Amino acid sequence: MTYPIVDGARVLLNFERNTESWPLASYESRHGYVTAKEALGGKYTPEALLEEVKQSGLRGRGGAGFPTGLKWSFLPRDPEGPITLVVNADESEPGTFKDRVVMEENPHQLIEGCVLSCYAMGSNNCYIYIRGEYVGCLKRMHAAVEEAYAAGHLGKNLYGSGFDCDITVHSGAGAYICGEETGLIESLEGKKGQPRIKPPFPAVYGVYGYPTIVNNVESIASVVYIADQGAGATVDRTGYRRWGTEKSAGTKLFSVSGPVKRPGVYEVPMGYPFADLLNKECGGMLDGIALKALIVGGSSVPVVDADTAMQITMDYESCQEHGTLLGSGGVIVIGEGTCMVRALWVLLRFYHHESCGQCTPCREGTGWIERIVHRIEHGHASPNDIDELYRIADGMELRTICTLADAAAWPTKSFIDVFRSEFEEHIDKGCCPYDNQFPDPLNLRGGGVPQRHDDPEHVFVP
Amino acid sequence: MSVDTSHLEFSAAARERVEWLRTRYPKDHQRALILPVLSMAQREFGRVGPDVVHFVAEQIPVPPMWVEEVATFYTMYNTQPVGRWHLQVCHNISCSLMGAEIVIDHLEQKLGIRKGETTPDGEFTLIGAECLGSCGTAPMMQVNDHYYENLSLKAVDELLEQLRATPDQEPRAEDLPHGPGSGPSRRIADGAALQAGRGVVVPGHGVHRRDEDRPTVGDGEAQPPFQPRDMAQ
Ligand SMILES: Cc1cc2nc3c(=O)[nH]c(=O)nc-3n(C[C@H](O)[C@H](O)[C@H](O)COP(=O)(O)O)c2cc1C
Ligand code: SF4
Ligand code: FES
């Protein structure tokens, strides 16, 4: 099946998604590269385009939500070296798989977005850094870039405007920390992906020491729409601001996973109620399973319980009001019957594994909290372990080079805040009330078969 | 320390690819080639041993230490030998919620090994992987380059049969995701490489234990009893 287009929200996935949606011919038939041609042909000066992006209210879709136009304006006016655009396609945040869909199904929109963004920031060179495991995306992006070069959408003197733009697709090799922008830059330079101390920020000192902007795939791909339709205004619902709220403009891709009927990637306007996303778009929870908890923006954000989840609307403000963050839009739905201690242990095992080891609170802290939670899960913990856990998590926050330590601390603290009784139960009983296992919502043990809810293309076997 | 690399040679297509890569990064920053060239070498030679590290360093050229650093930092470089089929079952949160642990238990029983081990015949290595971006199609596993999603236990059984029956494939041009055009690749360590000493095949002991018994060293999993890499080779 193809995904419904919610409320006519069409910024990134504005087409029938199928096996033939990715090639250049298909993209050109949907207005592809017209925007770049027009923009370079005189519709915008670079300054005007940058201003348009600023006005659009586009905020970074990689997790932090930093205003994209503002970030670009930090570039020095008279840079000593060439400016570089780096597209962050490292997507390794557990629960997040939206960039993959953009790259597999609409790669040319990302390329057009790169051309426009480079034009606006005065750069002629762009790297797309894709995580190494995404072999499918890598091949597809290589193929799409090749097509774009052959058709004159990339290369020298684009559309006779005198503007050059080169894109190189670069592959990572398996490290979550390379999603952090300075870790990514180090990795791109051929080093270990250990984040740099900031400042200086990449806009001043980035790849090879030159000014660099790092943006998420979704952010860059959205620029096409902004350049085409203009920033618009929230009040009269025009341009990009046709969707979303004043502070969270536009549409957002949400990748929904967990025991729901139709998991997958949905593009909805910001401010869309979570209840509708769950019940309308995703068809509700699997039969017989009630919602227990929700992680709304990828594994690094605080967890909320079912009641709070149903009040959330999918935008930055609402998430913050309800004690969590929109993050990367990786919506992880947790069903009744899930052991929250075990869920936290699985997350902490990940952060412990992915810590790059530069900062002591992170390198040691992630290991300590993982071990304590493991101890609680297996009933070997003592009553004061919960407070100890909380104290260590507290001590990891805001003390490190990058936010990976915080990303491990936030879920830890929120799991305890929201589900403390479950932690206590483990300790009191001296064992896991859920038998040290996750539920089996698909009845795999009984020979169950997961539903193929996706169009064949999304289940991508390169 | 000098390491003999004379037994290693890139295929013509891989050499072409390296030359193409050179043009994509500034002349004075060729260090950026380390990741792509090392990945290519892993595909060509099936592993990343000290000789491969030195070989890659010579190709770019950069000091071997720079390559060694990269080879040990990133999880996709197999500094330890792996079986012909590298079964990487995602055991992160979304997959766990949908039964990844059941799939892993099943594979452990079926193959008679534990997570992190290789079957005695060198066919399969089983590991628990972190989120691979298929959370919506969980449970899933990556086998060498390929994603297998929406797994059921029956699908897993069938897949194992299929993999066993698949002959070691000839290098396939499209297997190389590091640039346009063609290039060769060998899927993964062949039997010869495994037996040539770099390959220490670890027999599974066939005992299935729940993870309560697993010490939480490293990433919380039991460390496989691989022998340390022989740096002096
Ligand atoms: C540990 C860590 C991992 C991250 N992983 C990613 C990632 O996989 N993809 C991404 O786009 N941003 C990731 N980020 C955020 C980036 O550092 C950066 O903020 C983002 O790429 C900027 O792009 P944006 O402004 O378009 O969001 C990560 C940050 C941290 C601290
Ligand atoms: S916080 Fe952790 S991951 Fe980030 S730089 Fe420090 S040690 Fe590395
Ligand atoms: S959690 Fe398994 S693929 Fe994301």
Side-chain angles (χ1 to χ4, degrees), chain A residues 35-365:
Chain A
T35 316
K37 213 174 276 176
E38 283 175 1
L40 270 56
K43 184 173 171 192
Y44 291 106
T45 60
E47 296 75 25
L49 184 53
L50 201 159
E51 190 55 31
E52 206 66 38
V53 173
K54 249 189 187 168
Q55 291 305 324
S56 74
L58 174 66
R59 292 170 64 169
R61 303 293 197 232
F66 193 81
T68 305
L70 185 61
K71 188 189 243 184
W72 294 1
S73 65
F74 292 154
L75 285 167
R77 266 174 233 290
D78 297 305
E80 279 173 23
I83 295 172
T84 310
L85 168 67
V86 180
V87 177
N88 188 342
D90 193 59
E91 192 165 66
S92 332
E93 174 89 356
T96 312
F97 49 102
K98 64 187 175 71
D99 297 343
R100 175 181 171 201
V101 171
V102 174
M103 288 186 284
E104 283 175 5
E105 300 180 14
N106 203 7
H108 281 287
Q109 183 162 347
L110 176 59
I111 296 173
E112 188 174 2
C114 292
V115 173
L116 288 163
S117 307
C118 281
Y119 178 68
M121 63 180 77
S123 159
N124 304 109
N125 192 18
C126 168
Y127 292 105
I128 302 179
Y129 184 105
I130 305 178
R131 68 181 294 192
E133 291 91 341
Y134 275 4
V135 177
C137 292
L138 277 160
K139 285 182 187 165
R140 193 142 282 178
M141 284 311 305
H142 273 301
V145 166
E146 237 181 318
E147 274 187 329
Y149 267 110
H153 298 306
L154 285 175
K156 301 265 171 281
N157 189 18
L158 292 185
Y159 316 118
S161 66
F163 176 72
D164 306 338
C165 187
D166 279 308
I167 293 185
T168 304
V169 177
H170 189 96
S171 158
Y176 170 63
I177 196 58
C178 293
E180 200 281 340
E181 52 187 6
T182 53
L184 187 146
I185 289 171
E186 287 282 301
S187 176
L188 187 58
E189 292 180 351
K191 304 176 193 158
K192 292 185 282 187
Q194 291 182 320
R196 296 175 179 169
I197 295 175
K198 286 153 281 187
F201 287 96
V204 181
Y205 189 94
V207 186
Y208 317 128
Y210 303 140
T212 300
I213 292 293
V214 181
N215 269 131
N216 178 256
V217 169
E218 196 187 338
S219 319
I220 295 294
S222 302
V223 171
V224 179
Y225 189 90
I226 296 169
D228 186 40
Q229 301 280 316
T234 314
V235 267
D236 47 11
R237 298 269 160 208
T238 50
Y240 185 70
R241 284 183 175 274
R242 182 171 291 133
W243 293 292
T245 64
E246 187 61 44
K247 287 198 180 133
S248 312
T251 64
K252 171 94 188 76
L253 297 179
F254 290 104
S255 55
V256 187
S257 60
V260 300
K261 287 217 178 82
R262 287 195 300 272
V265 175
Y266 296 90
E267 178 168 19
V268 299
M270 288 276 199
Y272 198 71
F274 168 71
D276 286 354
L277 181 65
L278 177 64
N279 292 325
K280 286 198 195 149
E281 275 26 276
C282 301
M285 302 289 291
L286 285 175
D287 290 333
I289 300 175
L291 179 68
K292 177 170 186 176
L294 172 70
I295 300 176
V296 71
S299 67
S300 304
V301 310
V303 66
V304 295
D305 59 20
D307 290 343
T308 315
M310 290 321 240
Q311 293 161 19
I312 286 181
T313 58
M314 308 301 277
D315 53 75
Y316 296 101
E317 309 93 280
S318 170
C319 287
Q320 246 167 3
E321 266 166 42
H322 291 94
T324 182
L325 295 161
L326 191 71
S328 60
V331 178
I332 305 171
V333 175
I334 300 177
E336 206 58 69
T338 306
C339 173
M340 297 309 278
V341 178
R342 193 168 185 83
L344 178 60
W345 172 60
V346 166
L347 288 180
L348 294 181
R349 177 179 63 190
F350 167 74
Y351 288 109
H352 183 196
H353 183 252
E354 300 297 336
S355 167
C356 85
Q358 287 188 99
C359 324
T360 312
C362 174
R363 183 186 59 239
E364 302 302 324

Side-chain angles (χ1 to χ4, degrees), chain A residues 345 348-349 351-353 355 360-375 389 392 396 408, chain B residues 216-220:
Chain A
W345 172 60
L348 294 181
R349 177 179 63 190
Y351 288 109
H352 183 196
H353 183 252
S355 167
T360 312
C362 174
R363 183 186 59 239
E364 302 302 324
T366 49
W368 291 347
I369 56 179
E370 190 220 319
R371 278 192 288 273
I372 294 178
V373 175
H374 186 266
R375 197 152 77 205
L389 186 60
I392 298 172
M396 288 163 62
Chain B
T216 51
V217 288
D219 59 355

Side-chain angles (χ1 to χ4, degrees), chain A residues 94-95, chain B residues 90-95 131-135 140:
Chain B
C90 170
H91 63 180
N92 209 303
I93 183 77
S94 302
C95 287
C131 180
L132 292 163
S134 293
C135 330
M140 66 82 64

Side-chain angles (χ1 to χ4, degrees), chain A residues 94-97 100 127 131-135 138-139 142 146 149 167-168 170-171 173-175 177-178 187-193 208 257-259 263 332-334 338 342-343 345-347 349-350 352-354 370-371 374 378 380 436 438 440-442 444-445 448-454 458-462, chain B residues 20 24-26 28-29 31-36 39 43 66 69-70 73-77 91-94 96-103 105 115 130-139 142 145-153 172 174-181 210-212 214 216-221:
Chain A
T96 312
F97 49 102
R100 175 181 171 201
Y127 292 105
R131 68 181 294 192
E133 291 91 341
Y134 275 4
V135 177
L138 277 160
K139 285 182 187 165
H142 273 301
E146 237 181 318
Y149 267 110
I167 293 185
T168 304
H170 189 96
S171 158
I177 196 58
C178 293
S187 176
L188 187 58
E189 292 180 351
K191 304 176 193 158
K192 292 185 282 187
Y208 317 128
S257 60
I332 305 171
V333 175
I334 300 177
T338 306
R342 193 168 185 83
W345 172 60
V346 166
L347 288 180
R349 177 179 63 190
F350 167 74
H352 183 196
H353 183 252
E354 300 297 336
E370 190 220 319
R371 278 192 288 273
H374 186 266
H378 289 100
H380 308 318
N436 291 336
F438 283 108
D440 182 7
L442 299 168
L444 292 180
R445 286 201 187 89
V449 180
Q451 283 277 300
R452 284 245 151 174
H453 37 73
D454 273 301
H458 187 204
V459 184
F460 186 87
V461 180
Chain B
W20 175 81
R24 306 304 297 184
Y25 303 88
D28 46 347
H29 294 286
R31 185 177 189 173
L33 264 66
I34 295 178
L35 270 84
S39 303
R43 275 158 189 275
W66 291 4
E69 226 173 58
V70 167
F73 185 83
Y74 296 91
T75 52
M76 280 178 69
Y77 297 120
H91 63 180
N92 209 303
I93 183 77
S94 302
S96 289
L97 291 175
M98 301 307 280
E101 295 184 347
I102 300 168
V103 171
D105 284 355
K115 252 198 295 194
E130 298 302 350
C131 180
L132 292 163
S134 293
C135 330
T137 37
Q142 184 176 15
D145 279 351
H146 294 242
Y147 277 21
Y148 295 87
E149 307 178 296
N150 288 314
L151 294 174
S152 65
L153 297 190
R172 286 196 315 184
E174 66 275 17
D175 272 355
L176 208 58
H178 295 283
R210 283 216 66 80
D211 58 20
E212 162 146 38
R214 297 176 189 176
T216 51
V217 288
D219 59 355
E221 289 161 27

Side-chain angles (χ1 to χ4, degrees), chain B residues 72 114 158 167-168 184 200 212 222:
Chain B
T72 49
R114 278 169 48 188
E158 282 168 10
D168 211 3
V200 188
E212 162 146 38

